[in-house]
Amino acid sequence: MRLIQYRDHHGERRVGIVDGPCIQVLGEVATMRELALLAIQRGTGLERLAQLLNSGQSEDYAALLSEGRILAPLDHPDPAHCRVSGAGTTHLGSATTRDKMHRRIEGDELDKTDTQLMIEWGIAGGRPAPGTVGVQPEWFYKGDGSCIVAPGQPLPRPDFATDGGEEPEIVGLYLIDDEGCPRRLGFAIGNEFSDHVMERRNYLYQGHSKLRHCSFGPELLVGLPPAHLVGMTRIRRRGRVIWEQEFLTGPDNMCHAIENLEYHTFKYAHLLHPGDVHVYYMGAANLSFAYSVRTEDGDSFEISIPEFGAPLVNGIAHVQSHFRPGGVKQL
């Protein structure tokens, strides 16, 4: 089952089941988070409850997309209670891509970059036996819910950025229940928009490079993703495709098991506040930056994985930063 969040013609929030060209509208709940909380309360699964709440009313999916009424498939009414983070060096196909980025620009290459080492550690210990702890992945923080951009909307590129590049990923979506236990709703297509020029300058700048907006959706695939997924990334400039490439993702193409990635985020008790939601990017296999593509304002990203339904499409828009050096005021 695939679910979406959107706004109806009156601007009210709705949740719906994707049914080909139609969206079956759910009753009783207005948001995905409400649906998840109600499923926990009733002791049932997300898919079963969505079926029970089907109101029999429908919307035209194409109209929702074309009119920009699609929302990210999971959020929180208070963005401060939505945490957006991710893992890196998780995909078997990312070894060459990330290694190119993290080798020293001046040319005095190391025998092995830290990226190579992380990939090797993941291959050796990222798929532990059930109930045991595997090697931890690279981890980064992107921001709270205010950094999430709805599908179809442009990703802001701040004036201080040196780049704005895509990272096509699957994204895990979670709600923390009243007992502090993470509940997995499902997965979505994600674009973990980052500043790769900054990251290549020195990989210790990665924390800065990741503090950017991002997008995921438009659909939430309930449950675990298929083991093998083939996606496509396209970048368009003035309507013309300037770069495209397939990518492999899903558990069979990752050196870390999804359960291992989840453990190494949710093992931290201060990330388990009841009612919070988590958006967790699970790593990219490739990205256009590694092929010398440099995006421009006005370009458009399209990331598609057939099993996830409609593609995720976002533009890029330059934004002026409102904070300047010396901008902190003394009380």
Side-chain angles (χ1 to χ4, degrees):
M1 176 179 284
R2 302 194 307 273
L3 303 171
I4 66 164
Q5 286 195 126
Y6 68 98
R7 292 192 183 277
D8 65 18
H9 286 293
H10 304 289
E12 298 296 325
R13 293 176 62 118
R14 294 284 184 265
V15 180
I17 301 169
V18 180
D19 182 16
C22 297
I23 301 298
Q24 301 298 325
V25 184
L26 302 190
E28 293 191 40
V29 296
T31 70
M32 197 74 71
R33 181 173 175 271
E34 289 178 9
L35 179 66
L37 288 169
L38 188 58
I40 294 170
Q41 178 186 328
R42 295 188 180 180
T44 189
L46 203 65
E47 183 169 346
R48 175 61 177 157
L49 182 59
Q51 291 170 338
L52 292 173
L53 298 185
N54 190 337
S55 69
Q57 299 177 326
S58 65
E59 293 259 15
D60 181 73
Y61 195 7
L64 296 178
L65 290 166
S66 65
E67 294 168 10
R69 293 192 278 129
I70 297 290
L71 303 171
L74 181 65
D75 56 10
H76 194 288
D78 180 356
H81 287 278
C82 174
R83 301 171 187 266
V84 186
S85 63
T89 59
T90 58
H91 280 63
L92 298 171
S94 69
T96 301
T97 299
R98 306 298 295 198
D99 186 58
K100 284 180 183 178
M101 286 178 55
H102 292 164
R103 284 195 177 276
R104 295 181 182 177
I105 297 173
E106 293 81 2
D108 55 336
E109 296 183 349
L110 303 171
D111 289 336
K112 284 187 179 180
T113 64
D114 288 338
T115 295
Q116 284 178 303
L117 291 173
M118 291 289 285
I119 289 287
E120 290 176 6
W121 293 345
I123 292 171
R127 291 179 169 274
T132 64
V133 177
V135 68
Q136 60 189 3
E138 171 194 350
W139 188 90
F140 58 85
Y141 175 70
K142 285 197 71 71
D144 64 16
S146 63
C147 78
I148 297 170
V149 173
Q153 302 304 311
L155 292 156
R157 175 154 56 181
D159 54 5
F160 55 78
T162 55
D163 178 47
E166 89 295 339
E167 295 204 17
E169 312 190 16
I170 58 172
V171 182
L173 303 175
Y174 306 86
L175 169 70
I176 310 301
D177 70 16
D178 288 344
E179 282 70 48
C181 177
R183 299 293 192 106
R184 184 197 307 119
L185 282 70
F187 289 79
I189 299 171
N191 186 347
E192 196 268 290
F193 191 58
S194 300
D195 190 333
H196 299 116
V197 170
M198 181 182 294
E199 184 178 346
R200 185 175 184 183
R201 188 171 294 160
N202 189 302
Y203 75 92
L204 296 178
Y205 279 151
Q206 188 200 46
H208 288 283
S209 78
K210 297 296 188 183
L211 287 170
R212 297 292 186 272
H213 286 76
C214 60
S215 188
F216 61 95
E219 303 177 22
L220 183 159
L221 178 67
V222 178
L224 287 168
H228 176 73
L229 294 166
V230 180
M232 175 67 76
T233 302
R234 292 185 175 90
I235 301 177
R236 289 185 170 86
R237 181 168 298 160
R238 291 181 286 276
R240 182 175 64 88
V241 175
I242 64 166
W243 185 83
E244 65 178 7
Q245 189 175 78
E246 281 190 345
F247 62 92
L248 301 180
T249 188
D252 282 357
N253 298 297
M254 299 167 67
C255 54
H256 285 268
I258 286 174
E259 292 82 357
N260 191 53
L261 299 179
E262 293 171 337
Y263 170 75
H264 285 294
T265 287
F266 295 120
K267 66 185 181 184
Y268 299 107
H270 59 279
L271 297 182
L272 298 176
H273 297 293
D276 282 6
V277 299
H278 285 257
V279 176
Y280 187 32
Y281 285 80
M282 294 196 168
N286 58 30
L287 50 150
S288 64
F289 179 82
Y291 295 86
S292 301
V293 175
R294 299 298 177 267
T295 62
E296 299 176 359
D297 297 334
D299 287 354
S300 175
F301 301 113
E302 179 186 293
I303 302 172
S304 59
I305 303 174
E307 291 84 349
F308 284 76
L312 173 63
V313 179
N314 299 97
I316 310 174
H318 175 85
V319 293
Q320 192 74 22
S321 173
H322 297 295
F323 191 78
R324 289 289 178 263
V328 174
K329 297 180 180 179
Q330 177 65 48
L331 284 176

